Amino acid sequence: MTYQHQHRPPPAYPPVGSPGPAPRRRGRLALLAAGGLVAVLAVAAGTAYAVSRLVGGGDEGGRKLRAAWVLDFPERQRNGLKTFDGQDMFGAWLVGDAVVRAQPDGVIAYRLGDGGQAWGVPAPQGSSLCGAAQTLTEGRGVVALGSADSCDTLVGFDAATGVRSWQATFPAERREGRDTLAAPDLSVAGDQAVVRADQRILGYALADGRRLWQTDADRLLPGRDCRLADTRAAGDLAVVTVRCDGDRGALLGLDPTTGKARWQQRLPTASAGVLSVDPLVSLPGLNDATFAVRDAAGKPRATFGNPVDGTRFSDLPVNRSNSVEGPAVRPHLADADTLYLPTEAATVAGKMRQANQVVAIDLATGKRRWVSAGHTDSEVELIRVDDAGLLAWEVGDRRDLAPRLVRIDRASGKVSVLAGGPRSAGTEGSGATVLERDGTVVLVPWKHVGADAAITVLR
């Protein structure tokens, strides 16, 4: 594979084609261009540069997908703080013609076409991102940032333009000694951002950051000795997990616009939280090994264990940080009647890689529908489910197994190949968010472990 020459950018100039200097806009950074081949973002004074490189040549000739460009990981500079890993990723999205990456020194968008920077929202000097809501509403998102000892600020942003919409502080737990920094549970539900910080839950208007409501365990369950343990929101529901006296627990469904409880389900053991809000699937409790599929009132309608009908699946988070303790992201997909999970990975005999499949679980019965068949000996990363089936990425490796974009039939689990990828991108999709649009595949690893690039674009 041949790389284009990489060089330092010149001083900032207006974007290519611009008639002249544009007025400065609050919350946005200027675009720096170097011949259209190298784009650099300096998100604040003293922060790291991130450089995208166009990839030339015919990598793995004959393959349908080739490497278009890659983005180097930020240098190990940490915005003046010593508590954050400056190369972590907190969220990634495809918005318009750009891929957006949330990382400690800011939220940055790069053009899919050539890897040039589209926009950037920097973290203020002396602060760093510590979390992000995983979904957007009509292109609006929210991230959390803070100082070395507290993650206590929300920033709303427009993911299409890079405009910082609003900023709000909230009461947050402070880090003590060498503890990891506690990031809030942060979700987007419709037009609201829902935040759990220590023993408070707060709702904010996603459009302007106005605080809509605030509640805590004493208000939700008066007269009981309880603590808030987990809060996830999606659509028109926020689900709160509460741990109470005697190792018992409760699950509550809140209206994200008002914070008022719609329903409450007491649990025989303290639940560990929820895997999915829509459909609602709760995780096993401290003294339980049962996943529960729940109805609109939170009542169990089906249960399943791990293994499910002899197939062991993975429910491990993919976003663990060495320095920030926040909400876990567990890979899964779901449609109206089926939950799809990656099976537990196993080492391939004689190879330095692992392989897994996908298991489908019937939401009405908790029974296994099928296990996908036809994969290579590789890790499988879920992308999305739609009317055409499940879209997934087989990671491959850099020696003898090329990655593949595959479709999994929703009725049978049979795998069909849509496109092959270059071995140069092998392992880049391992433990990554994988995005796809119109045949373009975007690989965004959560951490700089086993990955060479912060973003890899294939087409």
Side-chain angles (χ1 to χ4, degrees):
M1 179 170 61
T2 302
Y3 291 101
Q4 295 284 352
H5 177 66
Q6 179 178 338
H7 57 280
R8 302 298 292 178
Y13 293 104
V16 176
S18 172
R24 297 187 64 181
R25 297 181 62 183
R26 187 176 182 181
R28 296 194 62 180
L29 297 179
L31 174 66
L32 306 181
L37 300 181
V38 179
V40 178
L41 171 67
V43 295
T47 57
Y49 286 103
V51 181
S52 66
R53 294 176 278 119
L54 291 185
V55 178
D59 191 359
E60 300 299 323
R63 297 290 184 180
K64 294 181 180 179
L65 290 174
R66 297 180 180 179
W69 58 268
V70 299
L71 175 74
D72 293 335
F73 277 99
E75 298 173 5
R76 287 187 174 274
Q77 194 162 344
R78 303 183 180 184
N79 206 12
L81 303 178
K82 298 181 179 179
T83 55
F84 302 139
D85 184 341
Q87 298 168 329
D88 282 355
M89 184 269 287
F90 295 111
W93 311 272
L94 287 180
V95 182
D97 63 352
V99 53
V100 181
R101 185 180 193 262
Q103 61 190 46
D105 55 6
V107 186
I108 308 120
Y110 291 89
R111 296 190 301 269
L112 283 175
D114 61 9
Q117 181 212 324
W119 54 259
V121 178
Q125 185 67 21
S127 66
S128 181
L129 262 67
C130 39
Q134 296 303 297
T135 56
L136 308 174
T137 293
E138 296 181 349
R140 294 193 300 268
V142 61
V143 296
L145 58 85
S147 61
D149 60 359
S150 181
C151 183
D152 62 358
T153 303
L154 300 179
V155 174
F157 65 95
D158 186 323
T161 64
V163 172
R164 185 196 307 260
S165 307
W166 52 269
Q167 182 169 314
T169 59
F170 57 90
E173 181 181 356
R174 301 192 73 82
R175 186 174 71 93
E176 296 183 2
R178 296 185 178 181
D179 292 345
T180 55
L181 188 76
D185 292 340
L186 179 57
S187 306
V188 168
D191 294 327
Q192 291 75 230
V194 179
V195 182
R196 180 189 70 87
D198 194 18
Q199 294 308 298
R200 298 181 181 88
I201 308 174
L202 308 99
Y204 293 85
L206 193 58
D208 58 13
R210 178 170 44 93
R211 185 183 292 185
L212 302 173
W213 53 270
Q214 176 178 324
T215 190
D216 55 29
D218 290 340
R219 294 180 183 178
L220 293 173
L221 293 172
R224 299 180 64 186
D225 183 13
C226 301
R227 291 182 59 82
L228 303 175
D230 180 74
T231 300
R232 309 287 172 125
D236 64 350
L237 181 65
V239 180
V240 181
T241 305
V242 183
R243 293 176 183 170
C244 301
D245 54 300
D247 287 334
R248 298 174 66 86
L251 207 63
L252 293 93
L254 307 186
D255 183 336
T257 63
T258 65
K260 296 186 179 301
R262 292 175 178 167
W263 50 261
Q264 176 189 146
Q265 295 293 332
R266 294 201 175 190
L267 305 174
T269 62
S271 173
V274 298
L275 173 68
S276 168
V277 175
D278 184 17
L280 181 52
V281 181
S282 60
L283 293 164
L286 298 178
N287 302 309
D288 185 25
T290 302
F291 293 75
V293 183
R294 298 179 178 274
D295 63 16
K299 296 179 180 179
R301 60 187 179 98
T303 60
F304 59 92
N306 190 9
V308 54
D309 297 336
T311 299
R312 182 164 289 279
F313 56 86
S314 174
D315 63 348
L316 297 177
V318 293
N319 65 325
R320 285 306 187 195
S321 170
N322 296 326
S323 54
V324 178
E325 182 178 355
V329 176
R330 294 179 168 88
H332 67 279
L333 295 173
D335 54 28
D337 55 13
T338 309
L339 176 68
Y340 307 96
L341 295 164
T343 64
E344 192 172 73
T347 301
V348 178
K351 304 289 183 180
M352 294 293 292
R353 63 171 178 261
Q354 292 189 317
N356 67 338
Q357 299 161 281
V358 178
V359 60
I361 300 173
D362 189 325
L363 291 173
T365 65
K367 300 295 184 181
R368 185 188 69 189
R369 288 185 182 270
W370 46 254
V371 177
S372 58
H375 296 287
T376 58
D377 288 337
S378 178
E379 293 180 49
V380 180
E381 300 290 344
L382 298 169
I383 300 176
R384 67 172 180 269
V385 60
D386 52 33
D387 292 341
L390 275 74
L391 194 64
W393 180 253
E394 295 177 353
V395 171
D397 68 14
R398 298 184 188 277
R399 292 184 295 262
D400 62 353
L401 187 63
R404 304 191 308 181
L405 181 67
V406 300
R407 179 75 70 183
I408 305 174
D409 184 78
R410 288 197 300 178
S412 66
K414 183 179 179 180
V415 171
S416 57
V417 181
L418 298 181
R423 280 200 293 269
S424 63
T427 73
E428 290 300 300
S430 178
T433 291
V434 183
L435 308 166
E436 187 275 345
R437 180 191 295 157
D438 298 330
T440 295
V441 176
V442 183
L443 312 175
V444 192
W446 287 93
K447 295 189 71 67
H448 191 353
V449 176
D452 290 336
I455 301 175
T456 298
V457 173
L458 310 172
R459 59 171 172 266

